[in-house]
Amino acid sequence: MRQRIQQVKAAMAAHGIHTLLTFDPKNVNYLTGFHTTARPIWQIGRTACLLSAGGTWRLFLPAPWDREYAPPPGCETVSYTGGDEELARALCGHLPTDSRKRTAADLDAVPAPLYRALNRCGWGDQLTDARLLLARCRMIKSPAEIRLLEQAVGLIDLGLKTAGQAVAEGAAEQEVQARIDAAMALAGSQGCGFTTKVISGPNGSYPHHVAGPRKITARSAVIVDLSASVSGYESDSARTFLLPPGGGGGEEGGGEIRAAYGGRREMNGEARTAYAGRQEVNGGAWAAYAGRQEINGGAWAAYAGHQEINGGARAAYAGRQEINGEARAAYAGRQEINGGARAVYAGRQEINGEARAAYHELLEMHHGITELLLSAGKRMKPGTPIRELHDFLRAELTRLNPAAVQAGTIGHGVGLRAHEYPDLTGDCPELLAENMVLAVEPALYVPGRYGIRIENMFHIGPEGATTMNRYPLNRYDREGDDDGNL
């Protein structure tokens, strides 16, 4: 914590700021370590931190929280009772009286009632915006922060493993989401501001669709986007599971699906062997039948002698022919009916052909985005302009499917929030730096049909990026069969 405070003070000095106020609970956590998930702010009251170049370091807490929390060494706790008016008065009593000493605050976290109360104390309009200063300090993670994020990513991997078992034909989106959230909560996730998303089929074309009662179907893509939290630090990752034509589940690695497919091939091989055996047996039957034909040659000669006798029989047979004529007419009618059935079956073949083509398209898109994420990881080295990484990702997604929609977010920082500075945009001024943690999430959305999003978290080290996730990317083997889920 001391090292973090010194880093923030150095940034304050560089911007000519004497006193810094923070109101965002995440910034308060960053500067003091104070964190609670017990109650929301509107129940427990607002917290704040004051840090000055002169050495003042104070945490403002609503009573009785000051008796329940031990601040880090060197940080003084100031208690107040009441609401925003009382907090403003407590703060103003510790702010510098020299107007030449600039005071800054994370103004986006100051609600209107508190801002008006600060104005009445003579401070609201004099506050400089410190959002970017704090965001850039939080951008570089300490070893302790990296460890907490690694734990949060481990919970995500567990959630994705649960998703791989739960995503199956007939399961509802909200059912899968509930199973994921329960697994992560039981493993220690403390909850965060990010909602688990399970988005299937056409719903997947809406990047932030909320899980609902829709049933997952075969030949569809299912996006699972989730976050977990450990001591206030949040993770963020996503996978897209593809359900094969048979509608099987997205088991981890898809090994069971491929094993089942391989088993069917072995079973079919045995069936072909058995069929070949039956052919040999039937060959013997045909030989016996040919022998019977020769024996029956004599019978035919005897039959010729009976032809006259059978004249009456032929008359009767002619009558039977008329009857059989009706039968043949009926049979011809059945042929027409069956012809219609065959035409319907051929139509179904065409429909199934389109379904297979659509599923093949999903496989190609999934493979392309997976390869793109792997390529992005190799480009993430200290000193690389973030805008270059952004431009590379956008260009490759456009090349993969020019007609698909790209989401507004393609990557971002991760830390005390699942989404924090810097965003991967074309105008981002930042360079990749050692100990940044980023989530990179290339995605494509085809309106009304599906979406594919794959997201990993990366820790930037001195030589390049290290993937923090251990759950596989669900890569698909282009050389193999289309009903394997990797």
Side-chain angles (χ1 to χ4, degrees), residues 22-37:
T22 58
F23 300 98
D24 185 328
K26 294 295 186 178
N27 287 331
V28 172
N29 183 354
Y30 182 73
L31 291 178
T32 67
F34 178 81
H35 167 69
T36 179
T37 59

Side-chain angles (χ1 to χ4, degrees), residues 160-294:
L160 289 171
K161 181 178 181 180
T162 304
Q165 297 164 351
V167 170
E169 184 178 10
E173 293 174 345
Q174 57 196 12
E175 172 192 346
V176 176
Q177 175 183 315
R179 289 181 60 180
I180 294 169
D181 287 341
M184 293 194 299
L186 287 170
S189 180
Q190 299 166 346
C192 59
F194 186 96
T195 302
T196 299
K197 299 180 180 70
V198 177
I199 320 172
S200 68
N203 288 345
S205 63
Y206 301 96
H208 299 290
H209 177 80
V210 177
R214 185 182 190 278
K215 301 290 186 180
I216 296 170
T217 60
R219 296 190 181 96
S220 66
V222 183
I223 298 173
V224 178
D225 194 341
L226 63 165
S227 179
S229 177
V230 175
S231 297
Y233 282 81
E234 302 179 1
S235 51
D236 185 14
S237 300
R239 296 290 185 270
T240 299
F241 297 89
L242 300 190
L243 268 72
E251 294 293 336
E252 180 182 2
E256 293 186 9
I257 295 176
R258 280 195 301 277
Y261 185 80
R264 287 198 298 272
R265 284 193 293 188
E266 291 183 8
M267 291 171 63
N268 290 338
E270 293 178 5
R272 284 193 294 271
T273 301
Y275 180 74
R278 285 198 299 273
Q279 281 184 311
E280 291 184 7
V281 173
N282 289 338
W286 280 108
Y289 180 74
R292 285 199 299 274
Q293 279 185 312
E294 291 184 6

Side-chain angles (χ1 to χ4, degrees), residues 138-168:
R138 283 172 49 181
M139 184 174 68
I140 307 300
K141 306 298 189 291
S142 68
E145 291 178 295
I146 297 295
R147 287 192 293 271
L148 290 172
L149 287 169
E150 287 173 342
Q151 294 177 43
V153 173
L155 292 172
I156 271 189
D157 287 340
L158 173 63
L160 289 171
K161 181 178 181 180
T162 304
Q165 297 164 351
V167 170

Side-chain angles (χ1 to χ4, degrees), residues 326-341:
E326 293 180 7
R328 282 193 296 273
Y331 179 74
R334 285 199 300 274
Q335 280 185 312
E336 290 185 9
I337 294 171
N338 288 338

Side-chain angles (χ1 to χ4, degrees), residues 292-306:
R292 285 199 299 274
Q293 279 185 312
E294 291 184 6
I295 294 170
N296 289 338
W300 281 109
Y303 179 75
H306 295 294

Side-chain angles (χ1 to χ4, degrees), residues 307-320:
Q307 280 182 317
E308 292 184 5
I309 297 170
N310 288 337
R314 278 197 297 274
Y317 179 74
R320 284 199 300 275

Side-chain angles (χ1 to χ4, degrees), residues 91-179:
L91 287 168
C92 291
H94 296 274
L95 292 175
T97 56
D98 188 344
S99 61
R100 293 171 297 178
K101 296 178 178 179
R102 293 178 65 204
T103 300
D106 49 357
L107 292 178
D108 59 329
V110 182
L114 178 57
Y115 187 80
R116 287 197 294 266
L118 289 169
N119 264 335
R120 284 191 285 273
C121 294
W123 276 102
D125 290 338
Q126 298 181 37
L127 296 176
T128 300
D129 193 354
R131 286 178 294 175
L132 182 59
L133 180 152
L134 288 162
R136 297 194 79 247
C137 288
R138 283 172 49 181
M139 184 174 68
I140 307 300
K141 306 298 189 291
S142 68
E145 291 178 295
I146 297 295
R147 287 192 293 271
L148 290 172
L149 287 169
E150 287 173 342
Q151 294 177 43
V153 173
L155 292 172
I156 271 189
D157 287 340
L158 173 63
L160 289 171
K161 181 178 181 180
T162 304
Q165 297 164 351
V167 170
E169 184 178 10
E173 293 174 345
Q174 57 196 12
E175 172 192 346
V176 176
Q177 175 183 315
R179 289 181 60 180

